[in-house]
Amino acid sequence: MTRFAISTLLLIAVCANVFSAPPEKKAKKGQSIAVIAYYFGPAEQVDSFAVEKLTHIIFSFCHLKGNQLVVDNARDSLIIQKLVSLKARNPQLKVLLSLGGWGGCETCSRVFSDENGRNEFSQSVKNLLDYFNADGIDLDWEYPAISGYPGHQFTPADKPNFTQLVQQLRKAIGKKHEISFAAGGFTSFLEQSIEWKKVMKVCNRVNLMTYDLINGFSQVTGHHTPLYSTPQQKESTDNVIHYLDSIGVPKNKLVIGAAFYARIFENVDSVNNGLYQAGKFKRGVPFKAFTQLLSADSGFVYHWDPVANAPWMYNAAQKLFVTYDDTRSMQLKTAYAKDKKLNGIMFWQLGEDAYSGGLLDAIYEEKMKVSGQ
């Protein structure tokens, strides 16, 4: 073949590649967002849930003993082993161990205040991950540098110490394991607890607790897990995302939070059907018990806030106000995570869901919708 012929063939090939239409892309179902469940319940219960619809499940909780992360007892060890065994049903599932929880991090400020404590903790995490064949660690310290559980120590030094903690953890457990942390969804945490740019360079994601924004200490009712802010309530999921985006935190590392439970307030006046009125926290109710405990037959009337994109109920006879997530708000939150190209959505907690037709199903159905349809 002549040099001219070879050149001609090459030119034809290049032109065909440049000018031909790209292969048609099919609409993809289920944009790749994480669906993350915290789990706080017995080992035998988890089989009843559709774990195939999860990407991550987080055992709640491990705690500190001295400077080391420990599993509290044999029962908890069995639960972790059960969670890891779920990979037989969902090979893509990742199982993480969580430190702390509300009231579960009493000595965190002290232990993580020096290099030896952080090093010993990090090595103990690696040992547990290797022993259970788990996939990572979730830090649920409530809260570094600001007041959290009553009586727990906190100091401004917690903020840089948390950075050094995640850096040491990464060195100890390597790149194949995940590091995440639970973050308060309220302004004081966002502004005071975390060195965001430094920490997010190391962590795979942050699980934003965009629930309990109206909580057990609140004396005025409101939405405890709203998607958007309202004139009466600044704290919301969207408020958190806007703040973190504004300071340069990558949106693809942000996970928004949802609540599989309601908060009930008592002695609430009927003005505005109880919303934004004085009240006292009474109790929580898991989603699986809504139909039994919060039924219309019992006097609970459903309301929807189109600004917050959040539901609430009010019982005029009993003067009870109820704030919660439902299937509608869950679908809207999932769509928000997809539209904003966030890392995903998480929730507390799987054991409070209904076995079928529950909130996980609502998340999954929205996740699997074809974009633009």
Side-chain angles (χ1 to χ4, degrees):
M1 182 178 291
T2 67
R3 187 181 304 172
F4 175 80
I6 294 172
S7 298
T8 301
L9 288 173
L10 287 171
L11 180 61
I12 292 170
V14 169
C15 289
N17 184 56
V18 171
F19 296 111
S20 62
E24 183 178 351
K25 292 184 178 181
K26 295 182 179 179
K28 291 184 178 180
K29 279 193 172 184
Q31 178 182 320
S32 183
I33 63 169
V35 179
I36 303 170
Y38 283 87
Y39 185 67
F40 183 79
E44 60 274 11
Q45 186 186 36
V46 75
D47 271 330
S48 302
F49 295 104
V51 297
E52 295 81 5
K53 298 178 179 179
L54 299 172
T55 61
H56 297 69
I57 191 165
I58 302 177
F59 168 76
S60 309
F61 291 100
C62 301
H63 297 102
L64 288 173
K65 185 176 182 180
N67 293 340
Q68 297 187 3
L69 184 70
V70 299
V71 178
D72 291 340
N73 49 52
R75 173 185 173 275
D76 285 355
S77 291
L78 288 174
I79 296 169
I80 296 170
Q81 290 167 353
K82 180 64 178 180
L83 297 181
V84 173
S85 76
L86 296 174
K87 294 183 181 186
R89 287 174 53 186
N90 179 0
Q92 306 305 314
L93 183 68
K94 293 187 181 295
V95 179
L96 276 63
L97 308 181
S98 187
L99 160 72
W102 183 248
C105 220
E106 182 176 3
T107 60
C108 285
S109 180
R110 177 180 58 78
V111 169
F112 301 143
S113 66
D114 66 74
E115 185 175 0
N116 288 336
R118 294 189 294 267
N119 286 344
E120 190 173 344
F121 172 79
S122 299
Q123 186 58 50
S124 71
V125 170
K126 183 181 187 303
N127 293 341
L128 281 181
L129 296 182
D130 290 345
Y131 177 80
F132 286 108
N133 195 28
D135 300 290
I137 177 72
D138 180 71
L139 302 169
D140 193 358
W141 175 3
E142 301 183 29
Y143 306 101
I146 64 172
S147 178
Y149 189 84
H152 283 195
Q153 177 183 331
F154 64 96
T155 171
D158 294 339
K159 186 174 183 177
N161 290 342
F162 186 82
T163 304
Q164 294 181 66
L165 171 63
V166 297
Q167 291 170 342
Q168 184 55 41
L169 266 172
R170 180 57 74 198
K171 291 178 183 178
I173 69 177
K175 293 182 178 180
K176 73 171 185 175
H177 289 112
E178 295 191 358
I179 301 175
S180 62
F181 66 100
F186 50 94
T187 301
S188 59
F189 182 98
L190 298 174
E191 294 179 346
Q192 300 176 44
S193 291
I194 304 294
E195 295 178 322
W196 286 101
K197 290 186 178 180
K198 294 179 181 179
V199 167
M200 295 314 298
K201 286 181 181 179
V202 179
C203 293
N204 296 82
R205 64 182 56 83
V206 53
N207 294 321
L208 299 162
M209 294 186 288
T210 47
Y211 45 76
D212 290 344
L213 301 179
I214 297 294
N215 54 56
F217 299 105
S218 300
Q219 297 180 346
V220 174
T221 67
H223 300 295
H224 96 84
T225 180
L227 182 53
Y228 292 103
S229 303
T230 70
Q232 298 87 353
Q233 184 177 339
K234 174 186 175 182
E235 310 289 16
S236 71
T237 299
D238 185 65
N239 180 66
V240 176
I241 298 304
H242 272 292
Y243 175 81
L244 294 177
D245 185 38
S246 75
I247 63 172
V249 179
K251 288 194 290 186
N252 64 2
K253 288 192 173 185
L254 303 180
V255 177
I256 59 175
F260 280 27
Y261 60 96
R263 284 186 169 274
I264 302 178
F265 287 76
E266 61 185 351
N267 300 322
V268 179
D269 193 88
S270 62
V271 175
N272 200 27
N273 294 303
L275 183 60
Y276 305 129
Q277 305 302 311
K280 180 182 178 183
F281 176 67
K282 178 179 176 65
R283 60 173 295 194
V285 175
F287 178 79
K288 62 186 177 183
F290 280 15
T291 55
Q292 176 186 357
L293 300 178
L294 303 175
S295 68
D297 290 342
S298 299
F300 290 93
V301 178
Y302 171 88
H303 301 276
W304 177 259
D305 186 332
V307 179
N309 278 7
W312 86 93
M313 295 183 197
Y314 183 66
N315 188 314
Q318 299 182 49
K319 293 188 174 182
L320 297 177
F321 172 89
V322 187
T323 170
Y324 61 103
D325 263 322
D326 64 2
T327 54
R328 182 181 180 184
S329 66
M330 204 64 66
Q331 289 168 342
L332 290 169
K333 284 183 176 179
T334 307
Y336 180 96
K338 292 169 63 176
D339 293 344
K340 300 290 186 182
K341 295 181 170 53
L342 307 183
N343 187 277
I345 185 168
M346 67 83 172
F347 52 87
W348 178 271
Q349 59 100 1
L350 183 62
E352 296 186 327
D353 200 13
Y355 293 141
S356 62
L359 298 182
L360 174 57
D361 289 343
I363 291 172
Y364 187 75
E365 288 167 10
E366 186 64 37
K367 173 183 174 178
M368 296 306 292
K369 286 183 179 178
V370 177
S371 297
Q373 293 188 1

